[in-house]
């Protein structure tokens, strides 16, 4: 067991870093993609709300595995056209393709989480903002968003942890995260204990994230 | 009383049918199903290819029923050891590392590997020094991946779950070369892709002695039976008939080793 870890230390570290970086980046970028979608879902009854609903339905409905495959190998089929459009540098890179798939997926889930918490803010808060003569933008930025964020933090943390585990799908598009490295070591050693080591890595990573989230939650709890 | 008779008649019938099927032994054969022309799954779901024909010919000699199933390459050895099937005809190269996990028959062909490159990439030869800085793809867990790891440290190596995905990325220009079985690449090029061409000589990984049929370590008895049947089909011409169906050339002569080619 120890030689499987220490003998392959650099691979395990590479995998751990990649998993941590890809999941964090996708959750953070996904959050900013999700904000306008959540707002449209919550406030707009017109075309914007309809488009936001369409986005959520599509990207929650398409499995992440399928999405990744479509973006990576699908774009490969159109490499000539993408070169013409000057977009090939992006789609050529498996890391960018993987990140794009993760962001599109998590943004759909996060948008629904944020919409939910926006909707729970009571009407009296809006009336107070109006009484104080705040513009809609200031009201959103300084009052509604912080409250919604504080309320949404526990489910957003949940989404973060789910994304840590979803990154294991990256191995199908040649990006070797923790699970990809584990599979590679396994294919050389045929030793099933490799997966115990992988599981331990995920567990430590998730516990660390949970610990950080708990501290963060305690700090902004008063807003929720 | 009547129903009791019915039940006992049913029991007898079931026992007899059980006996009847026990006389015709059934063996479960595993393969990958994603490695044309050796083994692949056709559009109507049938498992076919050179490996499958060889396997069926062996089963015919042994007078047993063979039931085929497909398994992911990365987990095919654990699947065999977990008794998901009885033996594997999957073009698996015999290597010392694999021999720690399973046992093999004598080789049933030599599956040499060869580089295939994009036509746009300007290369006359494929040696570690000429491929410096280029991106090379291979299938994860395959012997070609091991060769790249051991000999091509200055190239950028990308590993794919399936060979077809590596070839897709070659065609789209994400990678410059692929190292894989020359037969599998040849089959892919015959399907009308014109992006790519072979470069350099074909070779075997050091220590590999060709592709063998694999068994669980404690199943030496079955290994001996299959080995005998393999010898029979090689001697009686069945093997050559099958080979001609897929390849116009001899696949039982042995190519050179990597170390002979790259160590100068």
């Amino acid at each position: 067991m120890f030689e499987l870890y220490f003998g392959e230390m650099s691979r395990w570290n590479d995998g751990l870093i990649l998993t941590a970086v890809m999941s964090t980046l996708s959750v953070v970028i996904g959050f900013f993609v999700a904000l306008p979608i959540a707002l449209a879902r919550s406030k707009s009854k017109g075309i914007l709300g309809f488009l936001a609903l369409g986005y959520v339905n599509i990207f929650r409905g398409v499995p992440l595995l399928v999405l990744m495959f479509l973006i990576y190998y699908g774009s490969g089929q159109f490499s000539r056209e993408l070169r013409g459009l000057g977009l090939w540098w992006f789609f050529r890179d498996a890391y960018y393709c993987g990140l794009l798939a993760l962001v599109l997926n998590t943004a759909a889930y996060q948008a629904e989480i944020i919409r939910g918490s926006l909707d729970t803010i009571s009407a009296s808060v809006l009336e107070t903002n109006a009484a104080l003569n705040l513009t809609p933008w200031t009201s959103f930025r300084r009052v509604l968003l912080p409250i919604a964020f504080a309320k949404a933090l526990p489910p957003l943390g949940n989404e973060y942890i789910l994304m840590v585990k979803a990154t294991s799908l990256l191995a199908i598009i040649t990006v070797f995260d923790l699970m990809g490295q584990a599979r590679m070591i396994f294919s050389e050693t045929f030793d099933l204990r490799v997966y115990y080591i992988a599981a331990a890595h995920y567990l430590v990573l998730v516990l660390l994230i949970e610990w950080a989230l708990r501290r963060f939650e305690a700090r902004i709890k008063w807003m929720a | 009383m009547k129903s009791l008779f019915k039940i006992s008649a049913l029991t007898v019938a079931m026992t007899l049918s059980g006996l009847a099927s026990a006389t015709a032994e059934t063996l479960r054969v595993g393969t990958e199903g994603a490695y044309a022309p050796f083994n692949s799954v056709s559009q109507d779901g049938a498992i076919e290819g050179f490996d499958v024909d060889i396997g069926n010919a062996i089963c015919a000699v042994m007078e047993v029923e063979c039931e085929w199933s497909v398994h992911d390459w990365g987990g095919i050895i654990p699947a065999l050891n977990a008794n998901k099937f009885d033996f594997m005809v999957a073009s698996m190269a015999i290597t010392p590392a694999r021999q720690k996990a399973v046992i093999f028959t004598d080789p049933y062909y030599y599956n040499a590997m060869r580089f295939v490159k994009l036509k746009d990439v300007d290369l006359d030869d494929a040696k570690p020094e000429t491929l410096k800085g280029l991106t090379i793809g291979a299938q994860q867990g395959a012997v070609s991946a091991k060769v790249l790891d051991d000999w091509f440290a200055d190239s950028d190596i990308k590993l794919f779950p399936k060979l077809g995905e590596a070839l897709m990325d070659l065609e789209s220009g994400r990678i410059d070369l692929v190292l894989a079985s020359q037969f599998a690449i040849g089959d892919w090029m015959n399907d009308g892709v014109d992006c790519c061409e072979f470069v350099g000589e074909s070779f075997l990984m050091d220590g590999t002695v060709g592709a063998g049929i694999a068994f669980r370590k404690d199943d030496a008895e079955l290994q001996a039976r299959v080995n005998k049947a393999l010898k029979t089909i090689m001697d009686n011409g069945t093997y050559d008939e099958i080979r001609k169906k897929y390849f116009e050339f001899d696949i039982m002569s042995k190519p050179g080793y990597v170390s002979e080619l790259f160590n100068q």
Side-chain angles (χ1 to χ4, degrees), chain B residues 82-128:
Chain B
N83 205 3
K84 303 278 184 210
F85 51 90
D86 298 310
F87 66 97
M88 179 211 310
V89 193
S91 290
M92 183 171 270
I94 304 169
T95 66
R98 283 172 179 155
Q99 278 170 317
K100 282 190 196 137
V102 293
I103 48 176
F104 288 97
T105 55
D106 296 331
Y108 64 100
Y109 75 94
Y110 288 99
N111 195 353
M113 59 189 113
R114 200 171 175 193
F115 282 102
V116 58
K117 70 168 183 77
L118 283 175
K119 282 181 178 163
D120 303 342
V121 176
D122 191 25
L123 274 177
D124 306 325
D125 201 5
K127 292 266 165 67

Side-chain angles (χ1 to χ4, degrees), chain A residues 18-34 55 64 68 95-110 156 159-168 170:
Chain A
L18 198 114
T19 293
V21 169
M22 288 298 259
S23 54
T24 307
L25 270 181
S26 62
V27 169
V28 171
I29 300 172
F31 177 76
F32 289 102
V33 176
Y55 177 91
L64 185 52
M68 235 173 234
Y95 290 85
Y96 291 148
C97 288
L99 192 61
L100 177 63
L102 291 172
V103 165
L104 288 174
N105 179 271
T106 188
Y109 286 95
Q110 290 192 38
L156 285 178
E159 174 64 15
Y160 188 7
I161 289 166
L162 286 173
M163 286 314 281
V164 167
K165 287 171 279 189
T167 52
S168 60
L170 288 169

Side-chain angles (χ1 to χ4, degrees), chain A residues 200-214:
Chain A
H201 273 95
Y202 278 111
L203 189 62
V204 169
L205 189 58
V206 167
L207 287 176
L208 231 104
I209 291 170
E210 276 173 356
W211 173 80
L213 280 169
R214 255 201 310 278

Side-chain angles (χ1 to χ4, degrees), chain A residues 69 72-73 75-77 79 83 88 91-92 94 97 171-172 174 176 180 183-184 186-187 190, chain B residues 74-75 77-78 97-98 101 140-141 149 158-161 165 168-169 171-176:
Chain A
F69 226 83
Y72 186 72
Y73 293 109
S75 69
Q77 302 293 299
S79 61
R83 274 196 190 97
W88 183 239
F91 287 100
R92 185 178 202 275
C97 288
I172 61 158
T174 74
F176 286 86
R183 290 224 301 254
M184 195 137 75
F186 178 72
S187 74
F190 306 115
Chain B
I77 285 183
R98 283 172 179 155
Q140 188 191 343
D149 212 30
K158 271 182 101 172
L159 298 178
F160 295 80
E165 287 154 7
M168 255 155 77
D169 255 16
E171 202 177 353
S172 68
R174 279 202 185 101
I175 54 180
D176 304 307

Side-chain angles (χ1 to χ4, degrees), chain B residues 26-90:
Chain B
T26 305
L27 288 175
R28 296 161 302 157
V29 195
T31 193
E32 189 199 1
Y35 201 62
F38 294 99
N39 57 73
S40 58
V41 180
S42 72
Q43 292 197 329
D44 53 18
I47 305 169
E48 57 186 24
F50 177 78
D51 287 339
V52 181
D53 288 358
I54 291 290
N56 284 334
I58 286 170
C59 292
V61 170
M62 288 165 49
E63 291 177 336
V64 295
E65 291 273 335
C66 277
E67 234 172 61
W68 289 81
S69 56
V70 292
H71 304 266
D72 256 8
W73 186 248
I76 203 165
I77 285 183
L80 171 62
N81 282 332
N83 205 3
K84 303 278 184 210
F85 51 90
D86 298 310
F87 66 97
M88 179 211 310
V89 193

Side-chain angles (χ1 to χ4, degrees), chain A residues 104-188:
Chain A
L104 288 174
N105 179 271
T106 188
Y109 286 95
Q110 290 192 38
E112 282 300 277
I113 293 171
I114 299 165
R115 176 191 67 99
S117 61
L118 275 174
D119 286 353
T120 61
I121 298 173
S122 68
S124 65
V125 174
L126 299 174
E127 285 159 11
T128 314
N129 288 346
L132 289 170
N133 226 357
L134 298 180
T135 61
W137 170 239
T138 314
S139 150
F140 173 71
R141 189 168 55 97
R142 304 299 288 267
V143 183
L144 299 185
L145 186 60
I147 296 175
F149 184 71
K151 279 179 192 287
L153 197 57
L156 285 178
N158 206 18
E159 174 64 15
Y160 188 7
I161 289 166
L162 286 173
M163 286 314 281
V164 167
K165 287 171 279 189
T167 52
S168 60
L169 295 174
L170 288 169
I172 61 158
I173 58 168
T174 74
V175 175
F176 286 86
D177 73 315
L178 206 44
M179 187 62 190
Q181 298 286 2
R183 290 224 301 254
M184 195 137 75
I185 298 168
F186 178 72
S187 74
E188 289 164 15

